[in-house]
Amino acid sequence: MNEALMDHATETIKVGSKSFAAAATLFPADVRRSVLMLYAWCRHCDDVVDGQELGFAPAAAAPAHDAYAELATLEEQTRRAYAGEPMTEPAFAAFQEVALGHAIAPQYAYDHLAGFAMDVHDAQYETIDDTLRYCYHVAGVVGLMMSTIMGAKDADVLDRACDLGLAFQLTNIARDIVADADIGRCYLPAAWLREAGIPPSELALPEHRAALATVAARLVDYAEPYYDSANEGIVALPLRSAWAIATARNVYRQIGIEVKARGAHAWDERVGTSKAAKLWLLAKGGVSALTSRLRKMQPRPAGLWQRPPPERRRAEDGLRAPRHAAPAAGA
């Protein structure tokens, strides 16, 4: 069963995220196993809510999809996983091993599911803070869970892990603006679109590409302080983990740089990084990890978006973990 879980997790990340798959090979074996299993669960939940498979739309003959029911099922399965009940779904069996083995706070898992609930409920994003709140749920909290796996529990370090997730998601949003618009989703601040003169209903139209490029560039630039903050956090990680995280940071950041450089042509094809570029960024990440041994973590800039405490998260989202969920120890 353990070998089958690892095979499932490895295949999931290979198909679902080539960028992170490259960086994940740098983790020590035990950390890599847990990281891949956590990714498999995150990917599974995302696909279930969207009615997709590894980020791709299912065949036209697939059965009708009820996102509300699927979300409720995910919440219940998460509760059962934390309760130690037997898991038959591979992604949840993998998650159970990681969550219980590393004492990942249940609130982190429910916070992540709350991000998918925002999609299900067609949440609207008026300001960049609204967008960042979404980024926290779908990516920032993943950074918190991964940091727990790597043994980092200090609040300052967790803030940096959250910052990296925010930066990743801002990059993803910039890269996928048109693809998201094609399925009726927009994570860009509505205020930014108004300033650029782009009606949300016309986001994907070619005539708005030049204006859209300015909005995407603005988002890429907005991610930079979060990438910088995350780079400070690798100081507190073991060397191999620091190398992996620094490499992932470099690869995702490069995607944003490429989106900005392509301008109006950024959405002609999906932006990625070549194998040669990944090797260069991997080497660069190694240098960053090594030099991080010689410095101390600098204070986090005061102007960055701050992850809210658990009580405020529940109040803002209007969502709570299932009534019988395990307590959010350490959240």
Side-chain angles (χ1 to χ4, degrees):
M1 180 63 172
N2 285 343
E3 185 176 346
L5 288 181
M6 189 59 182
D7 289 344
H8 168 77
T10 302
E11 184 61 26
T12 297
I13 198 169
K14 186 189 301 183
V15 177
S17 179
K18 293 181 176 62
S19 296
F20 190 68
T25 61
L26 302 173
F27 285 114
D30 58 336
V31 175
R32 180 169 64 250
R33 174 185 176 84
S34 294
V35 165
L36 294 185
M37 288 189 169
L38 177 63
Y39 176 86
W41 175 74
C42 295
R43 178 77 268 171
H44 172 76
C45 293
D46 195 1
D47 285 342
V48 165
V49 171
D50 285 347
Q52 297 181 338
E53 185 172 348
L54 295 176
F56 299 97
H65 175 65
D66 184 343
Y68 292 95
E70 298 287 9
L71 181 61
T73 298
L74 291 175
E75 291 174 343
E76 175 60 16
Q77 287 178 304
T78 300
R79 182 200 66 76
R80 291 179 54 233
Y82 272 108
E85 298 180 20
M87 296 282 103
T88 55
E89 165 58 53
F92 268 93
F95 174 73
Q96 184 179 60
E97 177 183 309
V98 175
L100 299 185
H102 293 279
I104 292 176
Q107 188 61 53
Y108 291 163
Y110 293 123
D111 274 1
H112 191 48
L113 295 181
F116 302 130
M118 293 171 78
D119 281 337
V120 171
H121 293 282
D122 294 322
Q124 302 299 302
Y125 306 96
E126 174 61 25
T127 68
I128 187 61
D129 277 0
D130 294 332
T131 297
L132 287 168
R133 186 167 66 89
Y134 174 77
C135 292
Y136 164 77
H137 284 292
V138 297
V141 75
V142 178
L144 300 180
M145 291 189 280
M146 286 190 59
S147 289
T148 303
I149 290 171
M150 288 178 262
K153 298 182 180 180
D154 181 81
D156 290 339
V157 179
L158 293 177
D159 281 341
R160 307 313 178 106
C162 182
D163 285 342
L164 185 59
L166 298 179
F168 281 176
Q169 192 61 29
L170 290 172
T171 299
N172 284 342
I173 290 171
R175 180 195 62 193
D176 298 336
I177 292 172
V178 172
D180 287 336
D182 286 339
I183 59 173
R185 289 182 181 168
C186 176
Y187 303 105
L188 296 169
W192 289 16
L193 292 178
R194 286 196 299 272
E195 291 171 18
I198 306 173
S201 61
E202 299 178 6
L203 193 58
L205 297 184
E207 54 262 40
H208 295 303
R209 290 297 164 82
L212 191 60
T214 65
V215 177
R218 185 177 179 183
L219 198 64
V220 170
D221 289 343
Y222 204 91
E224 279 297 294
Y226 294 94
Y227 277 121
D228 290 344
S229 174
N231 196 47
E232 288 294 320
I234 67 171
V235 170
L237 299 177
L239 182 59
R240 287 280 300 273
S241 293
W243 186 11
I245 294 302
T247 297
R249 171 197 176 274
N250 293 342
V251 171
Y252 274 89
R253 180 173 177 269
Q254 187 60 40
I255 291 172
I257 291 171
E258 184 63 25
V259 167
K260 185 176 178 180
R262 293 188 186 187
H265 297 286
W267 305 281
D268 292 350
E269 60 182 5
R270 185 180 175 87
V271 175
T273 52
S274 67
K275 183 176 291 187
K278 284 187 176 72
L279 288 174
W280 160 242
L281 295 169
L282 182 150
K284 187 178 177 182
V287 172
S288 295
L290 287 171
T291 57
S292 73
R293 307 300 93 174
L294 306 175
R295 58 186 174 84
K296 294 183 178 180
M297 188 167 60
Q298 296 301 305
R300 184 174 183 265
L304 297 184
W305 189 87
Q306 179 63 49
R307 59 189 176 99
E311 295 76 12
R312 184 178 162 197
R313 290 199 300 269
R314 289 192 290 267
E316 286 181 346
D317 298 327
L319 294 164
R320 292 184 179 272
R323 284 183 299 168
H324 304 296

